[in-house]
Amino acid sequence: QVQLVESGGGLVQPGGSLRLSCTVSGFTLDWHTIGWFRQAPGKEREGVSCISISDGTTSYTDSVQGRFIISRHSAKNTVYLQMSSLKSEDTAVYYCAAGLGPIPDMWADGDGMDYWGKGTLVTVSP
């Protein structure tokens, strides 16, 4: 059974850091793309970052470029999202998702993502 489980969310002050983890079971990360998405209250879901496990290619949405870093630990079947210089607008439920193959052109819309986790809440507040 395929499962993606996010962890690492919580309350953090503006300017702080958090590291989210996405642990996958039921398949190996090889040949997959793993994406991080978020949805803030009252807003649509948006793609945050993704990584192609096979070659390490990454992509970021403009608003997190330079602040977030996505990485993978294949032996642990885990993908991380290191978030730094957090802002109040980063507050959202963060989801990870998996799809087979390289990064789709429209990954930020969720295209190509076949499996989704249930999310972890990140709250950035004083």
Side-chain angles (χ1 to χ4, degrees), residues 2 19 54 81 91:
V2 173
R19 188 180 77 163
S54 60
L81 185 68
T91 294

Side-chain angles (χ1 to χ4, degrees), residues 25-40:
S25 60
F27 68 94
T28 60
L29 291 179
D30 295 349
W31 312 115
H32 284 79
T33 288
I34 305 296
W36 282 98
F37 298 79
R38 66 186 179 187
Q39 187 165 20

Side-chain angles (χ1 to χ4, degrees), residues 13 15 17 19 24 28 32 38 65 69 73 78 118 123:
Q13 293 186 340
S17 299
R19 188 180 77 163
V24 172
T28 60
H32 284 79
R38 66 186 179 187
Q65 185 76 45
I69 299 174
H73 194 308
T78 299
K118 294 183 178 181
T123 303

Side-chain angles (χ1 to χ4, degrees), residues 6-114:
E6 303 92 340
S7 61
L11 174 64
V12 63
Q13 293 186 340
S17 299
L18 277 177
R19 188 180 77 163
L20 304 183
S21 299
C22 172
T23 301
V24 172
S25 60
F27 68 94
T28 60
L29 291 179
D30 295 349
W31 312 115
H32 284 79
T33 288
I34 305 296
W36 282 98
F37 298 79
R38 66 186 179 187
Q39 187 165 20
K43 294 188 177 181
E44 292 187 355
R45 185 188 68 200
E46 66 169 336
V48 176
S49 181
C50 68
I51 184 168
S52 169
I53 300 302
S54 60
D55 64 7
T57 302
T58 59
S59 184
Y60 299 89
T61 192
D62 288 346
S63 63
V64 308
Q65 185 76 45
R67 300 189 297 123
F68 291 9
I69 299 174
I70 191 170
S71 62
R72 85 276 201 200
H73 194 308
S74 296
K76 294 184 177 180
N77 242 24
T78 299
V79 171
Y80 303 101
L81 185 68
Q82 178 68 47
M83 306 186 297
S84 303
S85 302
L86 283 162
K87 307 174 182 179
S88 57
E89 52 262 44
D90 295 317
T91 294
V93 177
Y94 283 71
Y95 303 89
C96 65
L100 186 63
I103 299 175
D105 289 342
M106 303 299 290
W107 69 270
D109 293 337
D111 283 4
M113 300 298 169
D114 300 313

